[in-house]
Amino acid sequence: MEIPALVGAGLIVIGAGIGLGKIGGSAMEAIARQPEATGKIQTAMIIIAALLEGLAFAALILGK
């Protein structure tokens, strides 16, 4: 791989990590505020995290 591709891959991984951290943090705040909605919040968090990871993997593959 060339340097620009490596930099792009690194940015993709950093962006996905930041996104997953924000999703997790926001979900924990929401659960703390409304514990009775834990199941719905966790389900939405998992779906969004899976979509984000899929997008990151697709970007890494297409970036090669």
Side-chain angles (χ1 to χ4, degrees), residues 24-64:
S26 297
M28 293 302 107
E29 286 180 16
I31 290 170
R33 290 176 189 221
Q34 208 168 13
E36 65 274 3
T38 299
K40 289 182 180 181
I41 295 168
Q42 284 179 341
T43 301
M45 179 186 68
I46 290 169
I47 291 170
I48 293 169
L51 291 172
L52 178 62
E53 286 186 21
L55 180 65
F57 286 133
L60 283 172
I61 290 170
L62 291 175
K64 282 188 174 182

Side-chain angles (χ1 to χ4, degrees), residues 5-29:
L6 291 174
V7 170
L11 290 174
I12 290 168
V13 171
I14 289 170
I18 291 170
L20 287 170
K22 286 188 180 241
I23 291 168
S26 297
M28 293 302 107
E29 286 180 16

